Amino acid sequence: MTRDQARDFLLSIAITATSRVCIARDRLMRRIPWDGRVETAGPGTSRHVFPSGKNSIDAVLVQPRSGAAKASLLLCHGIGETVELWHGVQQLLAGNGVVSLVFDYSGYGRSTGFFNSSQAEQDAVAAFHFLAEQTAPMPVAVLGLSLGSGVAAAIIERVAAHRLVLCAAFTSLRKASGSVGVPQSLWPGVPPIWNTEEALRDCAIPVLIVHGDRDRLFPVRMARELAACCASNCELAIIPGATHSSPFYHPHQSYWGDIVARSVLADGA
C-alpha cells in the first residue's frame, strides 16, 4: 500500500466512524427514530436509486406541490447526515418553487458500497446527471454543506452546473482538520484533497458562499478566504445566529429563502 492509499484508507475510516457517531447521537437526541424510519414521503416526494460505478445510490427528490418548478438544485450533505435529515430543507425549497435532490454517498444510509473521497465525488456526479435528466431543460445548481462543500467544489468542472452554493464550507480538508483539533504537525497525514480554495480559483460559474456567524466548527474567516479566491462572480452572505448544523436541523426561510433568491433564482427563472 502506498502512502497516498494509506492516507485515503485512514480518511475513509475516520469519516465513516464520525458519520456513524453523529447518526447515533441524533438518534439519542430523537432527531432520527431508532428504527431508522423517517418520513420522506408525501406530495411531490419520491425516492430513487441510481448507479454510481458498482454502487447503488439512494436519493430523495422533492418537487413543488403546486405550479411548475422554477429551478433545480442538487444537495451534497455533510459528514453526519443522511437524506432523511434533509427532508425539511427540501420541503422548504419546494415551497419556493425549487425541485431538489439529496443523495447518500456510498456507504451512507441505504446506499451500497464504502465511502472514500473519489467515490463520493463519483456519487455526486452521478446524482447531478440523474437530477438533470429528471428536470431538463432547467439548469441545475449545486449546493454543498460542510463536507459536502468540498465534494461540490471538487466536481464543479466535471458537470454542467448553473451555479455553485457553498454553505458552512472549509478552505481545504487539511485546514478543516485543524479546525476540529488535529495538530498541524499531523496535517501531512490528511490527504491533499477537497482544496476548495484551489477549486474556486478555476471556477467559471457564479458562486454564493453562505456561512453562519455562530459556526463553531469552521470559522467565518474561512468563508471570507474562500470568497477572496473566487475567479468568477462571487457573493458572500454571513447569516446572523446560524450555527454549523442549524441550516438542516432547523431550516428557516431566512436562510434557505435567501439562498434561493440570491443564487438559485438569481437569473429570474
Side-chain angles (χ1 to χ4, degrees):
M1 181 181 290
T2 67
R3 182 182 179 184
D4 288 344
Q5 289 173 328
R7 288 191 302 196
D8 289 341
F9 178 70
L10 291 174
L11 176 67
S12 298
I13 291 176
I15 289 180
T16 299
T18 301
S19 69
R20 291 180 180 176
V21 167
C22 291
I23 291 170
R25 174 204 63 195
D26 287 340
R27 285 176 175 161
L28 285 170
M29 298 179 70
R30 303 196 177 200
R31 290 170 175 155
I32 303 174
W34 279 100
D35 61 7
R37 290 179 299 176
V38 178
E39 185 60 48
T40 54
T45 301
S46 54
R47 200 145 191 165
H48 301 268
V49 176
F50 53 84
S52 175
K54 296 180 180 179
N55 299 336
S56 297
I57 303 303
D58 183 45
V60 175
L61 180 75
V62 178
Q63 304 187 57
R65 299 179 185 180
S66 60
K70 302 174 183 177
S72 179
L73 181 63
L74 175 67
L75 302 169
C76 301
H77 67 59
I79 190 171
E81 302 136 44
T82 55
V83 294
E84 289 86 0
L85 276 174
W86 280 76
H87 197 52
V89 173
Q90 290 187 280
Q91 290 176 317
L92 192 154
L93 289 169
N96 283 271
V98 178
V99 55
S100 65
L101 181 81
V102 64
F103 65 98
D104 276 337
Y105 308 109
S106 295
Y108 271 69
R110 301 181 189 177
S111 294
T112 64
F114 299 95
F115 181 93
N116 64 57
S117 58
S118 59
Q119 182 64 54
E121 292 173 20
Q122 181 177 334
D123 298 342
V125 171
F128 180 93
H129 291 309
F130 177 82
L131 178 58
E133 290 173 0
Q134 298 297 310
T135 60
M138 283 190 297
V140 179
V142 177
L143 181 148
L145 184 143
S146 193
L147 177 139
S149 68
V151 176
I155 70 161
I156 207 62
E157 289 190 339
R158 288 182 253 168
V159 297
H162 173 55
R163 290 177 179 271
L164 175 64
V165 183
L166 302 178
C167 302
F170 51 80
T171 48
S172 72
L173 185 63
R174 286 185 170 177
K175 293 179 181 178
S177 68
S179 291
V180 299
V182 176
Q184 191 167 356
S185 61
L186 298 180
W187 286 9
V190 179
I193 59 171
W194 296 337
N195 188 327
T196 309
E197 289 177 306
E198 290 298 324
L200 291 183
R201 289 190 179 100
D202 297 325
C203 184
I205 61 175
V207 178
L208 174 64
I209 299 170
V210 185
H211 216 92
D213 68 354
R214 294 182 60 192
D215 192 322
R216 299 293 179 260
L217 190 62
F218 303 141
V220 175
R221 165 181 51 81
M222 284 191 171
R224 296 193 174 99
E225 291 171 353
L226 288 174
C229 290
C230 284
S232 59
N233 174 33
C234 179
E235 187 174 0
L236 173 64
I238 306 299
I239 308 300
T243 65
H244 188 77
S245 301
S246 61
F248 61 90
Y249 281 143
H250 308 290
H252 289 292
Q253 181 70 22
S254 59
Y255 188 97
W256 292 102
D258 193 49
I259 288 174
V260 170
R262 297 171 79 163
S263 182
V264 181
L265 298 182
D267 289 340

